[in-house]
Amino acid sequence: MLLPDAHPAADRARYDRATAHLDAPLAVVDLAAFDANAADLVRRAAGKPVRVASKSVRCRALLERALAMEGFAGVMGFTLAESLWLARSGVPDVLLAYPSADRAGFAELAGDPKLAEAVTVMVDDPAQLALIDAARDGGTEEIRVCLELDTSLRLLGGRVRVGARRSPLHSPEQLAELARSVARRPGFRLVGLMAYEGHVAGVGDAVAGSPLRSRGVRLMQRAARRELAVRRAAAVRAVRAVQPDLEFVNGGGTGSVQHTAAEDCVTEIAAGSGLLMPRLFDNYTSFSGRPAALFAQPVVRRPGVGAVTVLGGGYPASGAAGKDRLPTPYLPEGLAYDPQEGAGEVQTPLLGAAADDLLLGDKVWFRHAKAGELAERFAEFHLVDGERITTTVPTYRGEGRTFL
């Protein structure tokens, strides 16, 4: 949920003054909000390091800002190409959170000792080991490997599944068997285990206007946390029986930081969205945050009383299509989409009494539904401190990097 001491009207005035010399569309990151959110993640992690999920940031300057804060350590990447790029840029510890079929990337990894030491790849199938070996192209460096545990909650004998379809490795025995496969195969070193409970960390439990659904989500998440805590501990024991010097056990996400950190077997927490607090993370009872990333679109038409039209703005987030994937008109308060048009590709009508106070060229500030995807729309973020822009930094897109 949003912090109760947020002052949207004052924030709008600050953002308008800070960007008065700039034409929209543009995107900003409020540094005070970013830092406050980062501090809250560290507080909830209760002494365990927080690994920054880069997919939720996609801006090297902001990744570096988080990593410079006490309590953060390492990056969780989303593609092999991105992980190699970050490692070449000086990030010493990058965990690739998803399996890859990037043969050229694996050849580069296997042929460069510095990259091989910095990057850990994700594996959940022996066939992925074979793919990496086939892609080595003469490279002989030892590849650091992490295994992923499927965290989904299975009910009624497996007939009901709650959670994302990720790893096929659900039981401790399956994890241990793959750990033995890694140990038997020259050229690989098992260093970690990851278990991302997306159905807890990434699903809000306080959906506005849906008290029954919210209660159902909370009941599900409590059951899922109990089941996973037992199974994750057993999985760690099983893998450590094969590889005693496992370097890390990664778990969690923005919505479950404090719950995952409470498990003794977990050594580090992953989080990223909580730094920027996109709209989908308003619906949690377990933590509060401040919106740190916003984008502005200019008013270009005034089609009638109680209506304005802004340029573009149709930036839907990934996931199952629905209203919750749309950006939200945020400042000034009181604007809403025209239900017949929604968020448009090249123009977006907005309705509400607040429209009558807007002039041509004024900025309307929006919040994206998800965190990192905003960086795929803008080449740069203007970093706002108080009522001024301190610097402007490139996003991945601004650096010419579009990894997905």
Side-chain angles (χ1 to χ4, degrees):
M1 66 179 67
L2 298 184
L3 286 172
D5 59 352
H7 301 289
D11 287 340
R12 180 196 174 198
R14 287 196 301 111
Y15 301 143
D16 282 347
R17 284 193 287 269
T19 63
H21 61 295
L22 299 174
D23 290 331
L26 57 82
V28 302
V29 173
D30 186 325
L31 293 180
F34 182 93
D35 291 350
N37 293 337
D40 187 62
L41 289 173
V42 171
R43 177 190 63 79
R44 291 197 286 139
K48 294 185 176 178
V50 178
R51 184 181 291 271
V52 187
S54 64
K55 77 175 182 64
S56 300
V57 180
R58 305 191 202 200
C59 172
R60 283 200 294 170
L62 293 178
L63 290 174
E64 291 166 1
R65 187 179 185 89
L67 291 172
M69 299 178 186
E70 186 175 355
F72 287 87
V75 170
M76 177 176 283
F78 58 92
T79 73
L80 181 56
E82 181 224 14
S83 298
L84 297 175
W85 178 63
L86 290 175
R88 286 194 299 271
S89 302
V91 179
D93 178 9
V94 185
L95 169 62
L96 175 57
Y98 306 88
S100 176
D102 181 353
R103 292 175 174 83
F106 283 128
E108 184 178 359
L109 180 64
D112 188 317
K114 291 185 178 179
L115 293 179
E117 184 59 31
V119 175
T120 302
V121 303
M122 190 63 60
V123 169
D124 59 29
D125 189 317
Q128 293 157 357
L129 300 174
L131 186 151
I132 296 171
D133 267 340
R136 283 180 180 270
D137 194 28
T140 59
E141 294 300 322
E142 189 175 59
I143 305 299
R144 293 168 53 88
V145 168
C146 177
L147 308 184
E148 181 173 5
L149 172 68
D150 168 44
T151 65
S152 64
L153 176 64
R154 299 183 181 182
L155 305 170
L156 301 178
R159 293 189 295 275
V160 175
R161 175 194 180 103
V162 180
R165 294 184 181 274
R166 292 178 60 106
S167 171
L169 307 174
H170 188 76
S171 70
E173 294 76 20
Q174 290 173 310
L175 264 294
E177 180 55 35
L178 185 53
R180 286 188 285 270
S181 294
V182 175
R184 290 193 296 264
R185 196 168 192 120
F188 295 90
R189 176 157 53 104
L190 177 58
V191 299
L193 174 65
M194 185 184 87
Y196 170 59
E197 52 267 49
H199 50 303
V200 178
V203 178
D205 65 345
V207 182
S210 301
L212 293 179
R213 178 185 173 190
S214 298
R215 177 171 171 76
V217 169
R218 288 194 290 272
L219 290 173
M220 176 277 292
Q221 290 180 338
R222 281 199 292 270
R225 290 198 302 267
R226 287 195 298 268
E227 186 275 338
L228 179 59
V230 173
R231 183 160 52 88
R232 179 155 40 198
V236 172
R237 288 194 298 270
V239 173
R240 287 194 184 277
V242 178
Q243 181 71 328
D245 56 345
L246 209 60
E247 294 178 17
F248 64 85
V249 176
N250 180 282
T254 288
S256 67
V257 170
Q258 65 271 35
H259 303 298
T260 308
E263 296 181 31
D264 291 338
C265 69
V266 174
T267 66
E268 64 175 39
I269 308 299
S273 295
L275 293 168
L276 298 177
M277 273 299 290
R279 186 172 66 82
L280 283 177
F281 283 82
D282 291 352
N283 303 323
Y284 287 79
T285 58
S286 60
F287 72 99
S288 300
R290 292 172 55 184
L294 300 97
F295 68 94
Q297 303 295 108
V299 174
V300 293
R301 284 178 170 163
R302 292 173 51 85
V305 175
V308 292
T309 300
V310 298
L311 184 71
Y315 306 153
S318 60
K323 291 182 179 180
D324 65 338
R325 300 290 140 168
L326 295 178
T328 302
Y330 180 54
L331 302 171
E333 294 182 287
L335 294 174
Y337 292 121
D338 182 332
Q340 296 186 61
E341 297 194 48
E345 178 186 7
V346 291
Q347 72 164 37
T348 297
L350 298 171
L351 308 179
D356 294 329
D357 295 324
L358 291 169
L359 304 176
L360 294 180
D362 283 353
K363 296 179 178 77
V364 175
W365 296 90
F366 292 77
R367 295 174 64 203
H368 203 278
K370 298 183 77 171
E373 293 178 22
L374 182 60
E376 301 294 346
R377 296 288 185 170
F378 290 89
E380 57 190 21
F381 286 151
H382 302 287
L383 306 187
V384 175
D385 186 4
E387 297 185 2
R388 65 189 183 95
I389 293 173
T390 59
T391 188
T392 297
V393 298
T395 61
Y396 281 10
R397 175 179 174 175
E399 296 198 65
R401 304 286 178 167
T402 51
F403 295 108
L404 280 179

